[in-house]
Amino acid sequence: MRKIKLLAIVCMVLLVETANSEIKAQESGDWSMTVGADVTNKFLWRGLELADASFQPSVSFDYEKDDWAISVGAWGSKAFKKDDYNELDLSAELSWKNLTLSLTNYSEYYGSEFDDHYLDLGLSWTVSEKFPLTLSWYSIVNKDKCPTYLEVSYPFSISVVDFNATVGMMPFEDESYYGNDKFNVCNLNLSAGHEFELNEKMTVPVSAQVMYNPDLKDFYWGVSAGYYFTLDF
């Protein structure tokens, strides 16, 4: 377990150092900062309903140059219902062509106190721009047995509506986090949305999703709307 924790720390350091190197190496690049928030009727995540109606703000710093992309950000979820589940996440991503390496620190908090945190190390691969099927592997590396989630997703568009179809599964036994005692499919999800552009810097995304967890035999639906603005520098 100590080796796994060390691996997670090394990955985070490499992501940050790569970002610093890119900044120093390029006299000019394409940096941007995006700030915004969503309001949703349900906090849905990987086949689970984590909270009722929530306010979800975020901020990210992004850099793109040639085949490389770097993103560092923070995201939070504050439930409107008292004593419901809240979350604060810090994340870093490094992408090269069709590969993306990510590390996210999911932190649970109640009131003003943090309860627990999970280091989620992920690797995603997209087949191509013409066939954007994406395979993703995520493992929580600071917990016993490294709870793992595997996902296959495919985005597509019909007219002005953007869709994303997802199948998520737990490939290994893990009763400590996901609660499965064998391989099972836990997330069948279809989302649809559209991003309204107010101008070049401001957008209003609106989306809806339906989600079914075959393992728990639970069905969920969610809608969300947000407001975001982007600054380039």
PDB file of all heavy atoms in Angstrom, residues 8-27:
ATOM      1  N   ALA A   8       1.031   7.303  -6.535  1.00  0.00           N
ATOM      2  CA  ALA A   8       0.063   8.383  -6.736  1.00  0.00           C
ATOM      3  C   ALA A   8       0.711   9.743  -6.555  1.00  0.00           C
ATOM      4  O   ALA A   8       0.473  10.679  -7.335  1.00  0.00           O
ATOM      5  CB  ALA A   8      -1.109   8.223  -5.759  1.00  0.00           C
ATOM      6  N   ILE A   9       1.569   9.875  -5.517  1.00  0.00           N
ATOM      7  CA  ILE A   9       2.255  11.144  -5.269  1.00  0.00           C
ATOM      8  C   ILE A   9       3.200  11.474  -6.415  1.00  0.00           C
ATOM      9  O   ILE A   9       3.270  12.616  -6.883  1.00  0.00           O
ATOM     10  CB  ILE A   9       3.024  11.079  -3.935  1.00  0.00           C
ATOM     11  CG1 ILE A   9       2.034  10.928  -2.764  1.00  0.00           C
ATOM     12  CG2 ILE A   9       3.891  12.311  -3.752  1.00  0.00           C
ATOM     13  CD1 ILE A   9       2.702  10.673  -1.429  1.00  0.00           C
ATOM     14  N   VAL A  10       3.930  10.472  -6.905  1.00  0.00           N
ATOM     15  CA  VAL A  10       4.857  10.681  -8.019  1.00  0.00           C
ATOM     16  C   VAL A  10       4.107  11.133  -9.265  1.00  0.00           C
ATOM     17  O   VAL A  10       4.541  12.047  -9.981  1.00  0.00           O
ATOM     18  CB  VAL A  10       5.648   9.389  -8.311  1.00  0.00           C
ATOM     19  CG1 VAL A  10       6.430   9.526  -9.612  1.00  0.00           C
ATOM     20  CG2 VAL A  10       6.604   9.098  -7.168  1.00  0.00           C
ATOM     21  N   CYS A  11       2.947  10.527  -9.535  1.00  0.00           N
ATOM     22  CA  CYS A  11       2.155  10.918 -10.713  1.00  0.00           C
ATOM     23  C   CYS A  11       1.711  12.373 -10.607  1.00  0.00           C
ATOM     24  O   CYS A  11       1.760  13.118 -11.588  1.00  0.00           O
ATOM     25  CB  CYS A  11       0.937  10.005 -10.854  1.00  0.00           C
ATOM     26  SG  CYS A  11       1.340   8.340 -11.414  1.00  0.00           S
ATOM     27  N   MET A  12       1.271  12.784  -9.415  1.00  0.00           N
ATOM     28  CA  MET A  12       0.855  14.171  -9.234  1.00  0.00           C
ATOM     29  C   MET A  12       2.021  15.126  -9.440  1.00  0.00           C
ATOM     30  O   MET A  12       1.899  16.168 -10.096  1.00  0.00           O
ATOM     31  CB  MET A  12       0.260  14.360  -7.832  1.00  0.00           C
ATOM     32  CG  MET A  12      -0.145  15.798  -7.529  1.00  0.00           C
ATOM     33  SD  MET A  12      -1.488  16.382  -8.594  1.00  0.00           S
ATOM     34  CE  MET A  12      -2.892  15.679  -7.720  1.00  0.00           C
ATOM     35  N   VAL A  13       3.185  14.773  -8.874  1.00  0.00           N
ATOM     36  CA  VAL A  13       4.371  15.621  -9.052  1.00  0.00           C
ATOM     37  C   VAL A  13       4.750  15.730 -10.524  1.00  0.00           C
ATOM     38  O   VAL A  13       5.077  16.808 -11.022  1.00  0.00           O
ATOM     39  CB  VAL A  13       5.550  15.061  -8.228  1.00  0.00           C
ATOM     40  CG1 VAL A  13       6.833  15.817  -8.557  1.00  0.00           C
ATOM     41  CG2 VAL A  13       5.253  15.174  -6.745  1.00  0.00           C
ATOM     42  N   LEU A  14       4.706  14.599 -11.252  1.00  0.00           N
ATOM     43  CA  LEU A  14       5.039  14.614 -12.669  1.00  0.00           C
ATOM     44  C   LEU A  14       4.088  15.497 -13.463  1.00  0.00           C
ATOM     45  O   LEU A  14       4.508  16.230 -14.367  1.00  0.00           O
ATOM     46  CB  LEU A  14       4.994  13.189 -13.224  1.00  0.00           C
ATOM     47  CG  LEU A  14       6.151  12.273 -12.814  1.00  0.00           C
ATOM     48  CD1 LEU A  14       5.914  10.864 -13.339  1.00  0.00           C
ATOM     49  CD2 LEU A  14       7.491  12.810 -13.334  1.00  0.00           C
ATOM     50  N   LEU A  15       2.785  15.448 -13.117  1.00  0.00           N
ATOM     51  CA  LEU A  15       1.822  16.285 -13.814  1.00  0.00           C
ATOM     52  C   LEU A  15       2.110  17.766 -13.583  1.00  0.00           C
ATOM     53  O   LEU A  15       2.105  18.568 -14.511  1.00  0.00           O
ATOM     54  CB  LEU A  15       0.405  15.947 -13.334  1.00  0.00           C
ATOM     55  CG  LEU A  15      -0.152  14.585 -13.752  1.00  0.00           C
ATOM     56  CD1 LEU A  15      -1.507  14.348 -13.097  1.00  0.00           C
ATOM     57  CD2 LEU A  15      -0.281  14.476 -15.257  1.00  0.00           C
ATOM     58  N   VAL A  16       2.393  18.119 -12.318  1.00  0.00           N
ATOM     59  CA  VAL A  16       2.671  19.521 -12.007  1.00  0.00           C
ATOM     60  C   VAL A  16       3.978  19.977 -12.645  1.00  0.00           C
ATOM     61  O   VAL A  16       4.080  21.063 -13.213  1.00  0.00           O
ATOM     62  CB  VAL A  16       2.717  19.723 -10.473  1.00  0.00           C
ATOM     63  CG1 VAL A  16       3.149  21.144 -10.146  1.00  0.00           C
ATOM     64  CG2 VAL A  16       1.352  19.421  -9.865  1.00  0.00           C
ATOM     65  N   GLU A  17       5.031  19.126 -12.572  1.00  0.00           N
ATOM     66  CA  GLU A  17       6.313  19.483 -13.152  1.00  0.00           C
ATOM     67  C   GLU A  17       6.225  19.609 -14.669  1.00  0.00           C
ATOM     68  O   GLU A  17       6.867  20.477 -15.268  1.00  0.00           O
ATOM     69  CB  GLU A  17       7.368  18.438 -12.778  1.00  0.00           C
ATOM     70  CG  GLU A  17       7.818  18.509 -11.332  1.00  0.00           C
ATOM     71  CD  GLU A  17       8.427  19.863 -11.000  1.00  0.00           C
ATOM     72  OE1 GLU A  17       9.197  20.387 -11.822  1.00  0.00           O
ATOM     73  OE2 GLU A  17       8.104  20.402  -9.934  1.00  0.00           O
ATOM     74  N   THR A  18       5.426  18.744 -15.291  1.00  0.00           N
ATOM     75  CA  THR A  18       5.249  18.842 -16.739  1.00  0.00           C
ATOM     76  C   THR A  18       4.580  20.150 -17.109  1.00  0.00           C
ATOM     77  O   THR A  18       4.939  20.805 -18.087  1.00  0.00           O
ATOM     78  CB  THR A  18       4.403  17.662 -17.261  1.00  0.00           C
ATOM     79  OG1 THR A  18       5.033  16.449 -16.888  1.00  0.00           O
ATOM     80  CG2 THR A  18       4.264  17.719 -18.772  1.00  0.00           C
ATOM     81  N   ALA A  19       3.601  20.551 -16.297  1.00  0.00           N
ATOM     82  CA  ALA A  19       2.932  21.824 -16.547  1.00  0.00           C
ATOM     83  C   ALA A  19       3.919  22.987 -16.426  1.00  0.00           C
ATOM     84  O   ALA A  19       3.951  23.883 -17.271  1.00  0.00           O
ATOM     85  CB  ALA A  19       1.774  22.011 -15.563  1.00  0.00           C
ATOM     86  N   ASN A  20       4.770  22.956 -15.377  1.00  0.00           N
ATOM     87  CA  ASN A  20       5.763  24.010 -15.204  1.00  0.00           C
ATOM     88  C   ASN A  20       6.755  24.035 -16.356  1.00  0.00           C
ATOM     89  O   ASN A  20       7.153  25.097 -16.837  1.00  0.00           O
ATOM     90  CB  ASN A  20       6.512  23.815 -13.880  1.00  0.00           C
ATOM     91  CG  ASN A  20       5.626  24.080 -12.682  1.00  0.00           C
ATOM     92  OD1 ASN A  20       4.660  24.834 -12.782  1.00  0.00           O
ATOM     93  ND2 ASN A  20       5.938  23.461 -11.560  1.00  0.00           N
ATOM     94  N   SER A  21       7.168  22.855 -16.812  1.00  0.00           N
ATOM     95  CA  SER A  21       8.121  22.768 -17.916  1.00  0.00           C
ATOM     96  C   SER A  21       7.537  23.330 -19.198  1.00  0.00           C
ATOM     97  O   SER A  21       8.213  24.022 -19.958  1.00  0.00           O
ATOM     98  CB  SER A  21       8.532  21.305 -18.139  1.00  0.00           C
ATOM     99  OG  SER A  21       9.163  20.791 -16.995  1.00  0.00           O
ATOM    100  N   GLU A  22       6.262  23.038 -19.432  1.00  0.00           N
ATOM    101  CA  GLU A  22       5.619  23.540 -20.636  1.00  0.00           C
ATOM    102  C   GLU A  22       5.535  25.062 -20.604  1.00  0.00           C
ATOM    103  O   GLU A  22       5.720  25.730 -21.616  1.00  0.00           O
ATOM    104  CB  GLU A  22       4.212  22.944 -20.779  1.00  0.00           C
ATOM    105  CG  GLU A  22       4.204  21.474 -21.134  1.00  0.00           C
ATOM    106  CD  GLU A  22       4.607  21.236 -22.569  1.00  0.00           C
ATOM    107  OE1 GLU A  22       4.563  22.178 -23.373  1.00  0.00           O
ATOM    108  OE2 GLU A  22       4.987  20.106 -22.888  1.00  0.00           O
ATOM    109  N   ILE A  23       5.254  25.618 -19.419  1.00  0.00           N
ATOM    110  CA  ILE A  23       5.161  27.070 -19.300  1.00  0.00           C
ATOM    111  C   ILE A  23       6.505  27.717 -19.596  1.00  0.00           C
ATOM    112  O   ILE A  23       6.608  28.708 -20.327  1.00  0.00           O
ATOM    113  CB  ILE A  23       4.699  27.467 -17.882  1.00  0.00           C
ATOM    114  CG1 ILE A  23       3.290  26.918 -17.636  1.00  0.00           C
ATOM    115  CG2 ILE A  23       4.710  28.977 -17.720  1.00  0.00           C
ATOM    116  CD1 ILE A  23       2.829  27.096 -16.204  1.00  0.00           C
ATOM    117  N   LYS A  24       7.571  27.150 -19.046  1.00  0.00           N
ATOM    118  CA  LYS A  24       8.892  27.721 -19.222  1.00  0.00           C
ATOM    119  C   LYS A  24       9.405  27.533 -20.642  1.00  0.00           C
ATOM    120  O   LYS A  24      10.130  28.377 -21.175  1.00  0.00           O
ATOM    121  CB  LYS A  24       9.865  27.083 -18.229  1.00  0.00           C
ATOM    122  CG  LYS A  24       9.535  27.396 -16.777  1.00  0.00           C
ATOM    123  CD  LYS A  24      10.459  26.650 -15.842  1.00  0.00           C
ATOM    124  CE  LYS A  24      10.109  26.926 -14.391  1.00  0.00           C
ATOM    125  NZ  LYS A  24      10.986  26.173 -13.459  1.00  0.00           N
ATOM    126  N   ALA A  25       9.050  26.404 -21.257  1.00  0.00           N
ATOM    127  CA  ALA A  25       9.589  26.082 -22.576  1.00  0.00           C
ATOM    128  C   ALA A  25       8.938  26.887 -23.690  1.00  0.00           C
ATOM    129  O   ALA A  25       9.531  27.107 -24.739  1.00  0.00           O
ATOM    130  CB  ALA A  25       9.399  24.597 -22.866  1.00  0.00           C
ATOM    131  N   GLN A  26       7.720  27.350 -23.463  1.00  0.00           N
ATOM    132  CA  GLN A  26       7.011  28.051 -24.520  1.00  0.00           C
ATOM    133  C   GLN A  26       6.955  29.553 -24.208  1.00  0.00           C
ATOM    134  O   GLN A  26       6.560  29.961 -23.128  1.00  0.00           O
ATOM    135  CB  GLN A  26       5.579  27.502 -24.646  1.00  0.00           C
ATOM    136  CG  GLN A  26       5.527  26.022 -24.960  1.00  0.00           C
ATOM    137  CD  GLN A  26       6.044  25.713 -26.350  1.00  0.00           C
ATOM    138  OE1 GLN A  26       6.039  26.582 -27.218  1.00  0.00           O
ATOM    139  NE2 GLN A  26       6.486  24.493 -26.564  1.00  0.00           N
ATOM    140  N   GLU A  27       7.348  30.365 -25.175  1.00  0.00           N
ATOM    141  CA  GLU A  27       7.229  31.799 -25.008  1.00  0.00           C
ATOM    142  C   GLU A  27       5.771  32.234 -25.137  1.00  0.00           C
ATOM    143  O   GLU A  27       5.351  33.219 -24.567  1.00  0.00           O
ATOM    144  CB  GLU A  27       8.092  32.528 -26.035  1.00  0.00           C
ATOM    145  CG  GLU A  27       9.586  32.282 -25.857  1.00  0.00           C
ATOM    146  CD  GLU A  27      10.392  33.055 -26.862  1.00  0.00           C
ATOM    147  OE1 GLU A  27       9.781  33.710 -27.721  1.00  0.00           O
ATOM    148  OE2 GLU A  27      11.633  33.003 -26.790  1.00  0.00           O
TER     149      GLU A  27
END
